């Protein structure tokens, strides 16, 4: 079955590119002596996680408890959740999951630690906790001078075990805080087993941050138009595309595709909403829910109604989360069809 | 069961507000002598479409064939698809659907009409076709001087039936083209049964466009932060919210919610990503996949980790399409739980 037999819009994955992306990342980490832990939130597909593990990954990272549960059920038993899990019902689920799996969970505040401790105690088990350190991203994370106090709190609790530090992204800008925190922990006599860095765009900096023991990355498996625009990847590295059809040609300048923000997401980079493989001079300048509005005025060939094209989306991870199924291709022939098992698992 | 017992992030719907929105829109159309046809792409939930029909709607509008099929299966048999359906497999599905349902489908080009004719002929049945007219939106649609030729093509085909004209949005700016097209059709002796206008933001202009015979609207059922910012609705009209939890307080200025672009979508209006009901002075200034980054520096009360809040999203329709289930509340108590049956139905 050819890609041209699939209904559009749909998500297609070039398996040769996917294989190349995953082997290259694993080889890079192996070369640096770093453990590699793919972030499965990007793809949400156990079959892809299996390929990543087979290539040499030590475990996976999942962003939420519900997502971790899908992967644990599928046999992925070493899961890092780089996210503060709060609320008694949610920490109870986490503790349940940790009874049968090696779960490591992040924390950045005494209240978060206290919630984890309560859940672990109720389950009469031990939870592995990694402290998240704030970075230039200015999202979550503690400051270096809070780390010793937080680590002591964790280790003082009989049901919690302090394992180390986590940063996102692991860039040269985030290194001074990481070094400071590690020094403070060392001076306090607190052991650190794990220093986890991350980010597809930050992987190239790993040689400059020897403190890291492992790397997390997600986007690298597909790459996307944003990764290309930010020079994290080349066009030929983009493994995920949205197959689409030209459904209207209202003017000589404008073509309309049947993939809108419900297929491509509303993500934009440099003002564009994706790159059309067959029309590199075309420009997707806006999206409706079910339409892509394309400026084709600079194209030498003009697309016609009914013609099929392939769009490299701005963010592959956002696209995956909109679709229930993806189609895995080799040489544009259907080789496999995968359910996006963890789609919508946001809690 | 209270809203506070639901896992976050999740979508909750205030039924009193939803009821008010739907009755008000139907009453407005009744008052103008216009048929009303709710656009179900906004909610994708047959139970809500049932409420809309019970209030007096004449049928529904669905944007894609797969979505129309979900609603036809659920018993909604008068469906307008205001979208060019191209590709032989897709027009065949459309024709199948039209065997047992009253389907009206849009077209804006001879190629689209030819595809519909082929499918209708193969099924030995008749398809109702409505011509879409271009508007200031500059998306799909034919020009007024193309309409007579297109209508003749439709009626010349023994399997197609020309029913009228469709515009989106139906604003005063789109009226001159509509009048011109209607005049040309009249002069050519071509009858027009249906003139369908649409858009929640355009409903207020309906009295100024007496050519309309029916109105389509979708967003009105929930409203959202974009509708409020554009003065289409008041805050009290917003029936859909995302329940979320404060999961981090890294600084006194910043709070982090557990709903990111995978729960709220990446839609933005006036630079913001949603409105927090409990903290009207807070500002969601960016989203990660699973985090909302909130500036709380202007808030009198400071949110704490574990606290629950409710976010009015920028676009309710984009949020619905990310979630499998929504929770219907009255006075913040759970009254119903609905599956988003047509979620992901983009082809």
């Amino acid at each position: 079955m050819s890609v041209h037999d699939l209904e559009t819009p749909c998500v297609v994955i070039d398996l040769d590119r996917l294989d190349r992306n995953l082997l290259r990342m694993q080889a890079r980490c192996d070369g640096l002596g770093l453990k590699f832990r793919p972030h499965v939130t990007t793809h949400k597909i156990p079959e892809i996680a299996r390929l990543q593990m087979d290539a040499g990954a030590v475990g996976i990272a999942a962003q939420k408890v519900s997502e971790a549960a899908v992967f644990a059920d599928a046999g992925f038993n070493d899961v890092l959740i780089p996210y503060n899990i709060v609320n008694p019902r949610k920490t109870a689920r986490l503790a349940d999951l940790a009874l049968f799996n090696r779960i490591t969970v992040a924390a950045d505040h005494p209240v978060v630690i206290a919630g984890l401790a309560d859940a672990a105690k109720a389950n009469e088990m031990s939870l592995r906790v990694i402290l998240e350190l704030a970075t230039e991203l200015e999202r979550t994370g503690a400051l270096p001078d809070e780390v010793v106090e937080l680590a002591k709190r964790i280790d003082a609790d009989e049901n919690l075990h302090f394992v180390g530090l986590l940063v996102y992204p692991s860039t040269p800008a985030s290194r001074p805080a990481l070094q400071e925190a590690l020094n403070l922990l060392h001076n306090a006599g607190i052991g650190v087993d794990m220093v986890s860095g991350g980010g597809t765009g930050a992987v190239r900096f790993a040689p400059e941050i020897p403190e890291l023991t492992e790397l997390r990355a997600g986007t690298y498996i597909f790459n996307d138009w944003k990764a290309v625009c930010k020079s994290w990847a080349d066009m030929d590295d983009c493994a995920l595309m949205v197959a689409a059809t030209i459904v209207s040609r209202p003017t000589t300048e404008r073509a309309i595709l049947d993939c809108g923000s419900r297929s491509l997401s509303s993500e934009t980079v440099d003002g564009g909403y994706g790159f059309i493989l067959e029309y590199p001079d075309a420009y997707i300048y806006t999206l409706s829910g079910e339409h892509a509005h394309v400026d084709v005025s600079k194209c030498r060939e003009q697309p016609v109604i009914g013609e099929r094209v392939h769009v490299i989306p701005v963010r592959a991870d956002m696209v995956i989360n909109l679709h229930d199924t993806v189609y895995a291709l080799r040489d544009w022939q259907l080789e496999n069809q995968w359910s996006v098992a963890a789609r919508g698992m946001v809690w």
Side-chain angles (χ1 to χ4, degrees), chain A:
Chain A
M1 188 173 171
S2 151
V3 64
H4 291 287
D5 298 317
L6 299 170
E7 293 275 7
T8 67
C10 67
V11 174
V12 299
I13 291 171
D14 181 317
L15 287 173
D16 289 330
R17 291 181 176 193
L18 181 127
D19 287 347
R20 208 167 62 214
N21 291 340
L22 83 88
L23 293 174
R24 186 168 44 200
M25 178 64 81
Q26 187 63 50
R28 186 179 290 177
C29 289
D30 290 347
L32 291 166
L34 286 171
K35 293 173 183 167
F36 179 60
R37 184 181 291 277
H39 209 313
V40 298
T41 306
T42 304
H43 56 69
K44 293 176 171 283
I45 297 172
E47 287 87 343
I48 295 181
R50 178 53 53 209
L51 297 174
Q52 292 170 313
M53 293 299 289
D54 289 348
V58 294
I60 62 170
Q63 200 74 336
K64 295 285 185 97
V65 175
S66 59
E67 188 172 77
V70 168
F71 281 87
D73 281 350
F76 300 90
N77 302 118
D78 185 332
V79 187
L80 168 64
I81 303 179
Y83 202 91
N84 285 352
I85 307 301
V86 301
N87 180 306
R89 195 175 299 102
K90 210 164 274 175
T91 49
R93 282 174 185 250
L94 179 76
D96 282 344
L97 207 58
L99 282 174
F100 302 102
N101 301 279
R102 189 172 193 266
I103 304 289
T104 307
V105 63
D108 71 356
H109 193 278
V111 170
V112 178
I113 294 168
L116 296 174
D118 288 346
K121 187 176 182 181
N123 261 20
E124 295 178 349
M125 44 81 77
S126 171
L127 259 177
R128 295 164 50 84
V129 183
I130 189 163
L131 284 177
E132 184 178 2
L133 211 54
T135 67
E136 72 275 21
L137 180 63
E138 297 191 341
R139 194 166 69 183
T140 44
L143 297 174
D145 62 12
E146 298 170 320
V147 161
V148 169
E149 156 67 11
L150 293 170
K152 282 183 178 168
R153 263 179 197 265
I154 294 167
D155 269 341
D157 190 284
E158 60 180 345
N159 296 101
L160 300 182
H161 173 53
F162 171 71
V163 298
L165 298 179
L166 178 142
V167 287
Y168 176 79
S170 48
T171 55
S174 67
R175 192 184 175 206
L178 183 59
Q179 288 177 305
E180 185 186 347
L182 287 170
N183 277 337
L184 291 168
L185 287 166
H186 179 78
N187 294 342
I190 300 171
V192 171
D193 295 332
M194 182 173 171
V195 180
S196 179
T200 293
V203 166
R204 62 195 149 146
F205 303 120
E208 302 168 43
I209 311 173
E211 293 79 14
L212 299 176
T213 66
E214 72 168 49
L215 270 183
R216 313 178 313 277
T219 301
Y220 84 98
I221 191 76
F222 298 135
N223 294 304
D224 49 31
W225 186 231
K226 184 176 175 185
V228 172
C229 291
K230 290 188 173 282
S231 302
W232 301 346
D234 293 329
M235 282 283 290
D236 288 349
D237 300 324
C238 292
L240 182 146
M241 286 159 284
V242 174
T245 301
I246 307 278
V247 291
S248 186
R249 284 303 318 266
T251 71
T252 51
E253 294 83 33
R254 188 161 79 245
I256 301 290
L257 293 176
D258 63 352
C259 56
S261 46
R262 283 194 194 86
S263 311
L264 291 175
S265 88
S266 320
E267 292 284 336
T268 177
V269 62
D270 298 343
Y273 290 84
F275 177 87
I276 304 175
L277 213 60
E278 290 82 356
Y279 292 94
D281 298 320
Y283 174 59
I284 305 179
Y285 60 94
T286 195
L287 299 177
S288 303
E290 306 289 358
H291 306 77
H293 303 226
V294 190
D295 178 352
V296 293
S297 60
K298 299 214 174 78
C299 300
R300 282 176 48 189
E301 307 268 322
Q302 284 284 311
V304 298
I305 293 177
E307 190 177 336
R308 295 171 67 111
V309 297
H310 298 84
V311 181
I312 298 175
V314 173
R315 279 187 57 179
D317 61 338
M318 290 296 145
V319 169
I320 280 276
N321 191 47
L322 291 165
H323 297 262
D324 294 316
T325 305
V326 301
Y327 300 92
L329 312 174
R330 217 174 289 271
D331 295 328
W332 300 103
Q333 294 294 310
L334 189 67
E335 186 168 302
N336 229 320
Q337 179 173 331
W338 291 326
S339 289
V340 186
R343 200 214 65 72
M345 294 294 156
V346 289
W347 43 265

